[in-house]
Amino acid sequence: MKQFLILCGILLVAVGCVKNEKTIVLPEDIPDFVQLRDVENIEWDKKAVEFGDRGIIGNENKSGVIGVGLTTYKWMWHLWGIENIYDTKLTIVGFHKESATVQPILVDGWTIGVGGPNNGADAHMPSGVIIPKPGEWAILLYVNEKLFDTLIYEINE
């Protein structure tokens, strides 16, 4: 009987843990090349770090942003390893860890064009962003419809 009660307790905890997981739903208007597995495979322990002498926060020699911090900002995106910059489109997808919410963070939608070299990066572009709530965010960057990098930020109010 004691073993049965222990087994029931373990099952109750396991079911409770499963029920606490939030379902991730992609918005209807998200570009079709963004895949649910991209969000499910986020490596949350790979936090963005500050590098260089311009205050860029990101993944060195891959991507980074000047202006990260609060929930409403003008951010300057920087990308390394980009060729044919004038034909390049950058799609930016935000994922809020706590609420399991996927959404655009750009003021003007999902995708922007990129500009030329700046601050040592191969491409850069300014944009207005709105982060709707503070917390841990994964910012998935797609270059020409392919996952390019993921930036993990702690955004405060």
Side-chain angles (χ1 to χ4, degrees):
M1 182 67 166
K2 184 177 180 181
Q3 291 173 333
F4 176 74
L5 290 174
I6 291 172
L7 179 60
C8 287
I10 291 171
L11 287 174
L12 184 60
V13 168
V15 169
C17 289
V18 170
K19 286 188 176 187
N20 285 335
E21 285 186 24
K22 293 187 166 103
T23 302
I24 301 169
V25 178
L26 297 179
E28 287 184 20
D29 67 337
I30 199 166
D32 60 0
F33 54 84
V34 176
Q35 300 296 309
L36 186 59
R37 72 176 172 268
D38 298 340
V39 177
E40 293 171 338
N41 292 330
I42 293 169
E43 296 180 49
W44 291 100
D45 59 327
K46 293 189 176 184
K47 309 280 189 228
V49 297
E50 187 170 342
F51 61 90
D53 59 359
R54 303 282 182 161
I56 298 173
I57 301 174
N59 300 321
E60 192 166 10
N61 297 318
K62 189 70 173 181
S63 68
V65 176
I66 295 175
V68 172
L70 301 178
T71 56
T72 304
Y73 259 121
K74 178 178 179 180
W75 287 11
M76 178 76 75
W77 304 90
H78 295 77
L79 305 172
W80 284 261
I82 301 295
E83 298 178 16
N84 303 318
I85 57 173
Y86 299 106
D87 294 328
T88 298
K89 298 287 184 200
L90 175 65
T91 300
I92 302 169
V93 175
F95 178 71
H96 185 248
K97 184 177 184 180
E98 183 178 314
S99 66
T101 305
V102 176
Q103 59 196 67
I105 63 165
L106 294 175
V107 171
D108 297 322
W110 296 99
T111 303
I112 57 176
V114 302
N118 193 13
N119 297 324
D122 298 318
H124 84 288
M125 70 292 315
S127 72
V129 299
I130 296 175
I131 307 292
K133 60 182 102 180
E136 196 168 11
W137 283 84
I139 310 300
L140 291 83
L141 306 177
Y142 294 82
V143 171
N144 294 334
E145 303 185 359
K146 294 186 186 327
L147 183 61
F148 180 75
D149 201 12
T150 302
L151 299 166
I152 307 297
Y153 294 126
E154 182 68 36
I155 305 294
N156 302 310
E157 286 190 277

